[in-house]
Amino acid sequence: MRFLLDAEQAEFGRTLGRMLAAADTPAAVRAWGTGDSAPGRAVWRRLAGAGVFGLAVPEKYGGAGFLPVELVISFVELGRHAVPGPVVETAAAAVLLERLGDTDGLADVWRPAIAAGDAMVSYADLARGPYALDAATADVTFLVDGDTLRASDGSGPVQPSVDPARRLARCSGGAVLASGPAVRAAAAQAADIARLLTAAQALGVGRRLLDDTVAYVKQRTQFGVAIGSFQAVKHRLADVLLALEFAEPLVYGAAVEVEGASRAGTADAADAAGVGIAMAKVAAGEAAYAAARAALQLHGALGYTDELDLSLWIRKARALRNAWGTPAECRARVLLGRGAPARCIFHE
């Protein structure tokens, strides 16, 4: 089987990459980490204008329909450019609302706002962890607590994170939007999508770290030659490249599985797709983490400085490795196979 993005999909990714390259996302990330969300929201509006959030929203609500492959293309670029904010959680919330169906006009209110970029949404499942990403900044935080879905009416203080731009806070309370077994089923599918898009982000982060490190070792010299000519350096970077190359088809393959499961509409198909997502999450998270470790070492003392933009991606790689499922938890999902509980905890 030959699997490649078609010309339109590839051009979409390139166009999004060019747009983000011109948006000075490192400055937006640094501002976000201090609590200044204005530059990040400007990037958010540009993403919405490019149709990114509409890829998780049905056409009747102003979106493009649920397009998992295009979502992965988008989130690889979001990772490559370290876009701040609850981008994964917003997409997962849109999927949650779609799987849940119309409840007291919930879909009519939120999904058009998500597609248009008018709503920055955070989302957390309290069975998977106590924190919601950027709850203090988001316009609304959807909380799943057992069989109940709430719209949180506030958040606690921001907690420390390995990535300062990932601002975590506890949420509680809020108006009940839906309840019953359908909430739990929808939350399980939303968690799988969050895991998939986190894997796509990690893949983009790893690619960026590798590109920047290759460029650096070509210009840094020791003993009168570029350190990139040393065998040890070549081997280290080759290992990172191989890890990323092996992770990429798993991520895109999982997106194709999700698309097929969405069409099939059966629990077995969704469960099989969840196993594929767990595989992709492990591979992409570990590859990005390996890229971060190599980048830190090969940049030498320079790699430890906050002033270097490289630190933004190094920290993000570490956080994404555990977000929406640690490697151990997702490996367990793969080993147990179909029918296994997808309990992946959000923590950093």
Side-chain angles (χ1 to χ4, degrees), residues 180-191:
V183 171
R184 174 51 46 201
Q189 294 185 52

Side-chain angles (χ1 to χ4, degrees), residues 80-315:
R80 194 189 300 271
H81 294 277
V83 172
V87 286
V88 165
E89 289 69 22
T90 293
V95 171
L96 174 76
L97 297 178
E98 171 64 16
R99 299 297 186 268
L100 195 57
D102 295 345
T103 304
D104 296 331
L106 187 63
D108 293 335
V109 173
W110 289 109
R111 279 187 283 185
I114 289 172
D118 295 332
M120 179 180 287
V121 177
S122 188
Y123 168 65
D125 186 337
L126 297 184
R128 302 172 190 275
Y131 297 110
L133 180 65
D134 294 312
T137 305
D139 299 308
V140 65
T141 298
F142 291 124
L143 292 178
V144 171
D145 186 2
D147 288 344
T148 302
L149 173 65
R150 298 177 182 271
S152 177
D153 53 4
S155 66
V158 174
Q159 302 297 311
S161 169
V162 295
D163 177 4
R166 292 176 62 83
R167 296 165 59 81
L168 305 169
R170 291 180 182 269
C171 295
S172 61
V176 174
L177 303 175
S179 60
V183 171
R184 174 51 46 201
Q189 294 185 52
D192 275 343
I193 298 305
R195 203 166 301 126
L196 173 63
L197 299 184
T198 300
Q201 268 193 308
L203 183 62
V205 167
R207 291 289 189 188
R208 176 60 179 264
L209 285 166
L210 179 61
D211 290 347
D212 286 357
T213 305
V214 168
Y216 181 73
V217 300
K218 288 179 178 179
Q219 67 183 27
R220 181 186 170 192
T221 60
Q222 256 183 11
F223 311 113
V225 297
I227 66 169
S229 65
F230 300 160
Q231 282 293 102
V233 172
K234 290 180 179 180
H235 288 170
R236 185 72 184 272
L237 293 175
D239 288 342
V240 172
L241 176 60
L242 282 173
L244 291 167
E245 289 291 309
F246 276 106
E248 184 170 294
L250 289 176
V251 174
Y252 282 102
V256 172
E257 282 192 274
V258 168
E259 189 170 347
S262 181
R263 288 197 298 268
T266 65
D268 283 348
D271 197 30
V275 173
I277 290 169
M279 293 172 60
K281 176 63 169 60
V282 171
E286 296 289 56
Y289 188 55
R293 289 170 62 89
L296 186 62
Q297 181 185 30
L298 296 178
H299 277 78
L302 186 65
Y304 287 89
T305 61
D306 285 339
E307 291 78 12
L308 187 69
D309 284 348
L310 184 80
S311 66
L312 305 179
W313 281 269
I314 289 176
R315 287 170 165 170

